[in-house]
Amino acid sequence: MSTAEIEVTDAAAAKVQQLKEEEDNQYLKLRVFVTGGGCAGFQYGFTFDEEQADDDAVIERNGVEFLVDALSYQYLQGSVVDYEEGLQGARFLITNPAATTTCGCGASFGI
C-alpha cells in the first residue's frame, strides 16, 4: 500500500522515539486510526502497538514507524501527523485536508 499520501513531521517522529526510549521498547510503533464518534462524526486516535497487521500501511520517518489500518487510511489520505506542545497541552494532532468540519480541540472531524 502506498504511504506517500500521509505525512509525518519530524516533531511527531522525535516524540515517538522519545517514548520508545522511555518504555525501553524499540518494537513500539504509533498506530494512527479513525473511529466513529466525537462531536463532528469521526474521531482520531493514537495508540502504541508492537504488531503490524497485513493490511496496515507503514509510514517511516527518521527510523520511527507509524501504522495506519486500511479502513482509517481512506480517511487520512493527504493528512499530516504532527506533535505539538502548547497552551492546550502536549498532543499528537492531524491536519486533514479532507475534513469539512472539525471540533474546537481538533480531535474529531466530519467529511
Side-chain angles (χ1 to χ4, degrees):
M1 178 180 294
S2 169
T3 58
E5 297 177 358
I6 299 173
E7 181 185 340
V8 175
T9 66
D10 287 338
K15 185 60 179 180
V16 171
Q17 183 61 39
Q18 176 190 345
L19 294 170
K20 286 172 51 173
E21 290 170 2
E22 288 175 8
E23 292 295 317
D24 194 26
N25 185 345
Q26 291 303 308
Y27 298 104
L28 290 177
K29 302 164 181 57
L30 186 69
R31 180 172 294 282
V32 181
F33 59 93
V34 173
T35 60
C39 55
F42 293 100
Q43 188 169 314
Y44 300 116
F46 304 92
T47 187
F48 276 105
D49 201 340
E50 291 183 2
E51 301 298 321
Q52 176 183 332
D54 290 339
D55 65 345
D56 282 341
V58 180
I59 300 126
E60 188 274 331
R61 179 70 178 221
N62 300 340
V64 176
E65 292 181 325
F66 294 76
L67 304 175
V68 180
D69 64 86
L71 183 62
S72 298
Y73 190 87
Q74 63 185 328
Y75 297 108
L76 296 172
Q77 290 181 351
S79 295
V80 177
V81 179
D82 197 6
Y83 178 80
E84 72 174 18
E85 295 180 11
L87 296 176
Q88 294 182 353
R91 63 186 179 145
F92 288 98
L93 63 110
I94 294 178
T95 303
N96 187 342
T100 57
T101 59
T102 58
C103 68
C105 67
S108 69
F109 67 102
I111 292 182

